[in-house]
Amino acid sequence: VMRRNPFGMDICCRKGSRSPLQELYNPTQVSLSNTAILHQIRRDQVTDTCRANSVSSRKRRVLTPSDLKHLVVDEDHEMIYCYVPKVACTNWKRVMMVLTGRGKYSDPMEIPANEAHVSSNLKTLNQYSIPEINHRLKNYMKFLFVREPFERLVSAYRNKFTQKYNTSFHKRYGTKIVRRQRKNATQEALRKGDDVKFEEFVAYLIDPHTQREEPFNEHWQTVYSLCHPCHIHYDLIGKYETLEEDSNYILQLAGVGNYLKFPTYAKSTRTTDEMTTEFFQNISSLHQTQLYEVYKLDFLMFNYSVPSYLKLE
């Protein structure tokens, strides 16, 4: 099956050629085999953490289709990508649109960000039948990208609560946070919810009431809960800190690395480690400890050390 690619070269669909999964576990190129070792270490870390923290009960929770709505499927290249908000997911969705668009898109960066988040533009695993889901989980290469948990959290806070245009978040979450966490809140703050402080956001996250009420929003939900790494075996775990190398490695395994590169551009507004340190200055050590407990599995599973700025009790 031949498919024209936008650059005028004929690229063959995967049929008959090696799948990304084969290329990952039995690399034909030496350059790919060194990286394969690094990813093996990352996979082992996840496996060990899952084993060490498994609930003592024998019964494993069975995943339901709604657990799979973050897993984007690329049929042509036999890949599944679990997207995690605030970890380059807009650019990865753009790349997936190029990969699955059959020539409709050629440059990821020409796809508007809001279009990348339109759910009908990408197919997710929950849209398949149970046998089809199982077949793809077994035979497709599965990957996700992770980020230092508190840096991701501060990034989500800055994006959703400090930008004036995010009125839907202010209305849905901001008003609730102000009502619950702020003594003597003004009527305007209760109505708009557009001035949530980071300390109030943290207090909301660790409040047992929040946990009982509804699942966390995907922008601050743990990777553990979004992508289910203890139930789904991910072949590749990319990191935000090595985003370019990890992304282009995946595109190489998919056999498209010679004409498709992961888009990189340095965002001047990017949340950094220094910035995260500053945000945590005003959080009490009790709240820091409780918040760490919420995200602990993400820290352990993806090998992020306890931040030096934390004052844990």
Side-chain angles (χ1 to χ4, degrees):
V1 188
M2 299 303 281
R3 182 169 91 240
R4 302 284 307 175
N5 94 327
F7 299 87
M9 300 181 287
D10 281 318
I11 49 161
C12 180
C13 285
R14 293 248 56 105
K15 307 298 163 241
S17 57
R18 285 163 61 84
S19 74
L21 210 51
Q22 291 168 320
E23 198 55 65
L24 171 66
Y25 291 108
N26 299 296
T28 47
Q29 299 171 45
V30 178
S31 61
L32 294 182
S33 54
N34 297 338
T35 316
I37 296 163
L38 165 73
H39 286 278
Q40 179 63 57
I41 294 167
R42 290 183 186 173
R43 281 195 297 277
D44 291 344
Q45 177 76 20
V46 171
T47 308
D48 295 345
T49 308
C50 290
R51 202 173 290 139
N53 294 276
S54 68
V55 191
S56 49
S57 80
R58 289 273 169 84
K59 244 181 84 181
R60 271 177 49 164
R61 188 169 85 78
V62 177
L63 294 180
T64 63
S66 75
D67 290 320
L68 306 174
K69 57 180 187 286
H70 272 249
L71 280 78
V72 175
V73 181
D74 172 1
E75 294 288 351
D76 291 343
H77 304 91
E78 300 187 353
M79 298 198 299
I80 294 174
Y81 159 57
C82 184
Y83 69 90
V84 177
K86 306 314 298 171
V87 193
C89 89
T90 306
N91 278 354
W92 255 111
K93 283 181 175 180
R94 285 169 162 144
V95 168
M96 292 300 274
M97 283 172 72
V98 172
L99 290 173
T100 59
R102 308 209 164 196
K104 192 173 162 192
Y105 312 96
S106 59
D107 178 2
M109 291 318 279
E110 279 175 8
I111 301 171
N114 58 343
E115 206 177 305
H117 296 294
V118 173
S119 54
S120 58
N121 283 333
L122 290 165
K123 196 158 185 194
T124 47
L125 197 57
N126 59 334
Q127 296 168 346
Y128 292 83
S129 70
I130 303 288
E132 289 173 331
I133 288 171
N134 289 332
H135 171 77
R136 280 157 185 73
L137 284 175
K138 189 171 169 224
N139 297 291
Y140 287 15
M141 184 175 83
K142 300 166 294 299
F143 67 96
L144 78 165
F145 275 79
V146 298
R147 183 178 185 176
E148 201 280 337
F150 285 170
E151 198 180 286
R152 177 176 164 241
L153 192 65
V154 169
S155 176
Y157 166 77
R158 289 178 65 220
N159 179 250
K160 299 303 169 197
F161 294 107
T162 69
Q163 304 291 341
K164 288 291 167 226
Y165 61 79
N166 264 322
T167 47
S168 64
F169 264 83
H170 302 157
K171 280 266 185 291
R172 178 156 183 210
Y173 296 100
T175 52
K176 191 187 292 182
I177 294 170
V178 169
R179 188 174 69 244
R180 212 180 284 168
Q181 307 300 338
R182 190 180 300 176
K183 291 185 174 71
N184 314 323
T186 64
Q187 283 308 308
E188 190 185 17
L190 288 164
R191 192 178 77 252
K192 285 187 171 173
D194 63 352
D195 65 343
V196 170
K197 296 184 182 70
F198 186 64
E199 299 87 289
E200 294 171 329
F201 178 51
V202 168
Y204 162 78
L205 294 175
I206 58 179
D207 184 346
H209 189 86
T210 305
Q211 303 271 7
R212 282 195 304 270
E213 189 176 60
E214 58 178 347
F216 275 3
N217 175 279
E218 60 175 18
H219 291 85
W220 48 85
Q221 180 60 281
T222 60
V223 177
Y224 172 76
S225 304
L226 287 176
C227 295
H228 315 285
C230 289
H231 293 78
I232 294 170
H233 172 80
Y234 285 93
D235 303 290
L236 279 165
I237 294 142
K239 293 202 159 189
Y240 193 73
E241 296 77 14
T242 49
L243 177 62
E244 216 172 322
E245 304 94 288
D246 292 344
S247 299
N248 288 323
Y249 175 56
I250 290 167
L251 296 175
Q252 253 181 303
L253 291 171
V256 297
N258 55 350
Y259 71 87
L260 181 59
K261 291 277 175 276
F262 190 77
T264 51
Y265 58 99
K267 265 171 83 174
S268 54
T269 56
R270 193 174 93 71
T271 302
T272 60
D273 185 46
E274 293 75 42
M275 218 179 268
T276 306
T277 306
E278 240 165 84
F279 272 90
F280 273 85
Q281 297 275 287
N282 300 328
I283 307 296
S284 72
S285 58
L286 174 64
H287 280 188
Q288 287 187 5
T289 306
Q290 290 171 310
L291 191 69
Y292 179 75
E293 281 303 315
V294 174
Y295 292 94
K296 186 178 176 178
L297 276 179
D298 280 6
F299 275 100
L300 296 173
M301 201 167 273
F302 307 118
N303 207 16
Y304 288 106
S305 47
V306 177
S308 55
Y309 55 78
L310 283 194
K311 309 177 286 287
L312 297 183
E313 292 206 333

